[in-house]
Amino acid sequence: MRIAQLAPLAESVPPKFYGGTERVVAWLVDELVKLGHDVTLFASGDSRTTGKLHPVWPRALRLGRKGADPSAACAMLTEAIAKRARDFDVIHAHIDWLHLPLLSRLGVPFLTTLHGRLDLPGLPDVVRQFPDASFVSISDHQRLPLPDAKWSETIQHGLPSELLRPFDEKGSYLAFLGRLTADKGPEDAIRIARASRMPLRIAAKIPRAETAYFKKHLEPQIDGETIQLVGEVDDAKKQPFLAGAAALLFPIDWPEPFGLAMIEAMACGTPVIAYSSGSVPEVIEHGLTGFIVENEEQAVKAVGELGKLDRRRVRARFEERFTARRMARQYEDQYRELIGTAAGRFDMQRLES
């Protein structure tokens, strides 16, 4: 199949540091190429891919030239796909809602994967404007706020099986990986670690909008010894960071659509201790790949029970459930279904004329 992938422009594909969506797009493109498809990636010019790169903006917006207009970059992206839409059998968009008015009118089959939270005002109105647009959710929980959307499938994220390797030895610290925002639970993670009398290492970026939160609530607690901030980590540094941890703490307080950090930890054989929010019960198997808890007290108790878990079994469940190859195969099925439906519709129109 000739497949176009439309990526966000905030980060490169894959991202240099933080960036879940762009990372997943990179893995998907690479796997589709391995499966023999002709894949073109529409993304920032500093992206790297085994597919064909169509650069639509010189550099990713977050690490690129300060003051770049995101709206201008998005205009360039939609213009690029408008000019080339007929070159593809199917178009797969990862850019939220931006493309819907355009692709709904071009007559080329397209699929949208929604990567963010959907419990936001106005989104039901958008869905009603595009009743024929097919959507993929990344967890069943994610789609609950938009029951009227045309959901074609839930396809959980997957990463290359060889990207992160397991470490069988018991880790010596607790890990926190993600954005330093209140809803990700970094304050809870610090309290859980202290109550468990274990060191905590925090690998995270500080969003500009959250600088005041970090200064007030987190920085005073980071002593560089018991509580360490190691900053953003790339894929090379993520391996030892996660593999050396006794567990990943995931004390979220928001409807997490998926939670890529959970399966990254599992790929290293590292169990996850997570609050039961959003997609967590769909990703973590309680007592097997980690523990699902309701509060800090239960999380501290779970830290004490980590010895009951088999890190080799954690890695095995990752291989069974969360590889990029499995993800790509599921998307292949969706592409074929869309193309087949479009071909049937075209044949019907010919007969009627």
Side-chain angles (χ1 to χ4, degrees), residues 153-168:
E153 185 64 274
T154 289
I155 300 179
Q156 296 176 321
H157 290 332
L159 59 90
S161 58
E162 70 282 0
L163 181 66
L164 299 169
R165 303 304 306 169
F167 183 64
D168 291 339

Side-chain angles (χ1 to χ4, degrees), residues 137-177:
S137 56
I138 55 178
S139 66
D140 289 338
H141 186 276
Q142 181 199 26
R143 63 169 68 181
L144 293 180
L146 298 178
D148 295 331
K150 185 181 177 184
W151 296 110
S152 61
E153 185 64 274
T154 289
I155 300 179
Q156 296 176 321
H157 290 332
L159 59 90
S161 58
E162 70 282 0
L163 181 66
L164 299 169
R165 303 304 306 169
F167 183 64
D168 291 339
E169 299 298 322
K170 180 181 178 181
S172 59
Y173 56 88
L174 299 173
F176 179 92
L177 176 65

Side-chain angles (χ1 to χ4, degrees), residues 86-106:
R86 297 290 177 181
D87 294 342
F88 305 105
D89 300 311
V90 64
I91 300 170
H92 186 177
H94 305 266
I95 53 176
D96 295 324
W97 315 94
L98 176 67
H99 58 287
L100 291 175
L102 173 67
L103 296 189
S104 294
R105 290 165 169 79
L106 291 182

Side-chain angles (χ1 to χ4, degrees), residues 54-73:
H54 184 123
V56 298
W57 196 254
R59 292 197 65 200
L61 294 170
R62 186 168 78 91
L63 298 178
R65 189 172 180 179
K66 190 175 181 180
D69 185 350
S71 296

Side-chain angles (χ1 to χ4, degrees), residues 16 25 57 63 87 100 147 176 200 255 274 307 314 317 334 341-343:
K16 303 296 186 294
V25 172
W57 196 254
L63 298 178
D87 294 342
L100 291 175
F176 179 92
L200 176 68
V314 175
R317 288 302 286 161
Q334 293 302 306
T341 300

